Amino acid sequence: MNSVLAVRRKSRRISLTALIDVVFILLMFFMLTSSFSRFGYFEFQTQGAGGGGTGDAQVLLLQADGELLDRSVSPAQVMSDERLLARMDASRPLSLLPAGDADVQTMVQAIERLNRIGLSRVTLGQVLSAEVD
């Protein structure tokens, strides 16, 4: 019985070569099958970056619910895409003044809407919450 206990098994080291090969093959597989798509983006400037204020710019107010209001018309009117194209000049800069409670997603959607209809010179301005009401 002592002879059975005396025989020790040699401890074998685990080879990591096969594991490294499998990980490399999986890495290559996922790199080759994934799609590298470019996310959509749009360009806009803040008032400070453009060098000028809203002096010669057309002004639109952006409400928290995403409606665009023409501040030059009294009382401010909600603008559809057709009215925006009819009233705004695409060659002049457009200053978008968001309401104080407008979130970032609402601003992004409004700028995308303006770009889609051809008003691409959009400047993001700042408005006081009392000025919107």
Side-chain angles (χ1 to χ4, degrees):
M1 188 102 168
N2 285 340
S3 64
V4 173
L5 292 177
V7 176
R8 289 188 164 179
R9 294 179 77 186
K10 280 189 167 180
S11 63
R12 300 177 81 196
R13 294 186 125 191
I14 299 174
S15 175
L16 295 179
T17 306
L19 179 65
I20 292 171
D21 289 343
V22 170
V23 169
F24 180 71
I25 290 171
L26 286 173
L27 177 67
M28 291 299 294
F29 172 77
F30 288 118
M31 284 177 56
L32 293 174
T33 58
S34 64
S35 63
F36 296 102
S37 62
R38 192 165 93 183
F39 291 101
Y41 67 94
F42 57 90
E43 294 182 18
F44 71 95
Q45 296 179 350
T46 58
Q47 278 182 342
T54 59
D56 66 337
Q58 308 164 97
V59 178
L60 284 178
L61 297 176
L62 174 65
Q63 291 183 325
D65 60 357
E67 294 293 335
L68 293 169
L69 302 176
D70 187 1
R71 192 166 82 167
S72 63
V73 178
S74 182
Q77 297 177 355
V78 175
M79 302 292 283
S80 65
D81 289 350
E82 295 81 23
R83 289 191 71 172
L84 281 169
L85 279 175
R87 292 196 49 83
M88 301 296 162
D89 184 9
S91 63
R92 288 180 48 211
L94 176 68
S95 182
L96 184 65
L97 304 176
D101 52 349
D103 59 356
V104 173
Q105 185 62 39
T106 304
M107 288 184 265
V108 168
Q109 289 172 344
I111 293 171
E112 285 178 343
R113 176 183 168 195
L114 292 169
N115 286 336
R116 204 173 34 246
I117 62 173
L119 300 170
S120 59
R121 297 184 60 194
V122 179
T123 302
L124 190 60
Q126 182 178 4
V127 66
L128 301 174
S129 59
E131 193 176 346
V132 175
D133 300 332

